[in-house]
Amino acid sequence: MDILQAILTRRSIRRYTGEVISDDMVHTMLEAGFAAPSATNRRPQHFVVVRDQARLERISAVQPFTRWLQQAGCAIVVCGDLRRQPLKGFMIQDCAASIQNMLLAAHGLGLGAVWGGLYPVRIFTRGLRKILHLPAWMIPVGLIGVGVRAGEKPAHNQYDEDRVFFETM
């Protein structure tokens, strides 16, 4: 798939068939996540792949806007290591870049995926830290639900000329 086509046609997919995602596909998405740019090349991103149905349900109970995880083939939780990047703002940006790369990789593989926010909502980050047994220096920034699509969602153009400025606002 052409990169511009992938960017312009990617949609947030929240309905899945429940089919298992292959190890090769997960590996490809993780490679894309690791390929993301990183401020000062600190690379604070860590990834937790969750396939266990009970754990997916626990995550969706902590972060109620991720109920779609219950039908997903897996989730990938993107965490930032404050030991590798103590500037939290940069760490968050690095993790966000990884998330976007993995969303595009999932789309390129013909899968559906959606970003679920975690940071900075403390109840979400504390809950995920407990469920995944994360150390204190590891912040769960966001997660991606991935699955075989349970339907199609057409692309739509979101370009907004009224929000584009040149040189000054």
Side-chain angles (χ1 to χ4, degrees), residues 44-112:
Q45 307 93 316
H46 292 259
F47 306 97
V48 181
V49 179
V50 180
R51 289 185 163 142
D52 177 68
Q53 188 61 40
R55 196 174 302 255
L56 291 171
E57 289 175 13
R58 287 179 59 205
I59 292 170
S60 69
V62 166
Q63 210 294 27
F65 302 109
T66 62
R67 297 271 186 235
W68 32 261
L69 280 176
Q70 297 174 27
Q71 286 78 42
C74 74
I76 301 173
V77 181
V78 180
C79 302
D81 186 337
L82 288 171
R83 297 172 309 171
R84 292 184 66 98
Q85 178 51 277
L87 298 174
K88 195 180 282 187
F90 285 165
M91 184 267 295
I92 298 300
Q93 291 175 46
D94 290 351
C95 290
S98 288
I99 291 169
Q100 180 65 15
N101 275 13
M102 288 190 288
L103 290 169
L104 289 169
H107 182 53
L109 292 168
L111 299 170

Side-chain angles (χ1 to χ4, degrees), residues 11-30:
R11 298 292 310 274
S12 293
I13 304 298
R14 295 175 179 86
R15 292 182 47 234
Y16 312 106
T17 64
E19 294 176 56
V20 175
I21 304 304
S22 75
D23 290 343
D24 287 343
M25 288 183 164
V26 170
H27 182 71
T28 298
M29 288 182 285
L30 293 170

